[in-house]
Amino acid sequence: MSKAMRRIQVGSALSAFGLGFTVPYLYVYVAQVRGLGAVTAGLVLAVFAVAALIVLPFAGRAIVSRGALPVLVASLVTAAAGSLALGLSADATTVLLSAALLGAGQAVMQPALATLVVDCSSTLSRTRAFATQFFLQNLGLGVGGLIGGHLVDPSRPGSFVLLFSIQAAMFVLLTGLMATTRLPRATLPEDGGPEQVPAVKADWRALFRNRAMVWLCVLGFVLFFACYGQFESGLSAYGVEAAGISTSTLGTALAANTAMIVLAQFLVLRFVERRRRSRVIAGVGLLWAVAWAVAGFSGLADVSQAVATVSFISVYALFGLGEALLSPTLAPLVADLAPSGLAGQYNSAFALVKQLALAIGPAVGGPMGAALHGPYIVLMLVFCLGLAGLAMVLERQLTTAQNHPYATRSRVVAQSAPASPPAAPVGADA
């Protein structure tokens, strides 16, 4: 791993740490500590999603024209300002504006960091690089949430000011780390050497003409809607209302999800590398269908509370296994579908699809998970089976190099291997 890649991976972990450090406590901070009520707190969470949807289309164009590193630095400065302002805000207007700054900054970090991973990796090393990034991001989220939870105290507003100030300082530190990162020369826009990539221009119409990318975006929406869009909304509401799960058990289930990702990520990497990406995605769809079937068993079957609890926790663990399989699959596929120089735009487009799913998923899943238990499970089963079907449709749109780079590498190695020298004739002199 190059020095630049190490810095990028550290940056991914720290950015995730910042997200886990404050976001779980935003509702309590706005509604109770600042006394602005549940409506304002809900608007703050909505502002995060709206800010992301607004800035991501422009982020892709900026990454293509200016480079991923300057865009990442700008997003870190924006997030630092938003975090500090949020900690000092006392009225609804300043809280919402600060949340918009923080949400916009954090939204742009994701495609900028993904593009930097692409810039500093090869087609063959990209799968492992993105698996490492996903592992470190989940570790950062978990550690950030754990430390943040021990710092805050709703009876002491100063503890939340300290929380947001630490997050802002962390973003400033990360800004310095990334601003001093030296990328490979071929990735720098000002490089005038013979390896310079010809100037390209972000073009959304060209992206929409890329049928494989369009199918991948549709697939991505279904995937994020049926998984990430349900974690803290529909699935948790279903667990409480249908399966009788306590809030402490919800925390245990989320911990099981993170633990599965951390334990399985590098164990499944070799398995993923040797298989077609479309087949891995289809397999995850079937795996998650099993997870939703287990969720249905925990809440709809006539079982004891202990069995329902264990079953519900296993649902989150199964989702974690699926995430571990997808992390070295989806992001490298997006990068390989992008024409040279347009990885930033393609990463931003896929991040935009994810944000749409994360905005719509809770709005649909929350009410259904709380009240319409049977229809909710059926809907999620349909989405997961649909994910498997979409993956097989996508397979027909992909080249071998895009869908199964390991096979391409194996053929190249075999073709480039030196031929064995001819055997000496029998009886020839030694």
Side-chain angles (χ1 to χ4, degrees), residues 19 23 43-61 63 75 78 96-111 204 345 347-360:
L19 186 64
V23 170
L43 287 175
V44 166
L45 297 176
V47 161
F48 268 79
V50 172
L53 294 176
I54 292 174
V55 300
L56 281 172
F58 301 99
R61 185 179 297 272
I63 292 172
S75 71
T78 302
L96 292 172
L97 290 175
S98 302
L101 279 177
L102 180 57
Q106 289 183 325
V108 176
M109 288 179 204
Q110 178 183 351
W204 285 98
Q345 185 191 19
N347 283 324
S348 295
F350 200 70
L352 179 61
V353 169
K354 179 178 180 179
Q355 287 297 327
L356 282 170
L358 294 183
I360 298 173

Side-chain angles (χ1 to χ4, degrees), residues 2 4-10 12 68 72 110-123 125-134 137 178 183-184 187 331-332 335 343 347:
S2 66
M5 180 64 82
R6 285 197 297 271
R7 287 195 171 207
I8 293 165
Q9 298 290 21
V10 170
S12 297
L72 176 60
Q110 178 183 351
L113 284 165
T115 304
L116 286 173
V117 171
V118 174
D119 289 343
C120 295
S121 63
S122 66
T123 302
S125 65
R126 200 161 288 154
T127 298
R128 192 167 295 271
F130 276 108
T132 302
Q133 184 190 43
F134 187 72
Q137 284 177 335
M178 300 312 301
L183 298 178
T187 68
N347 283 324

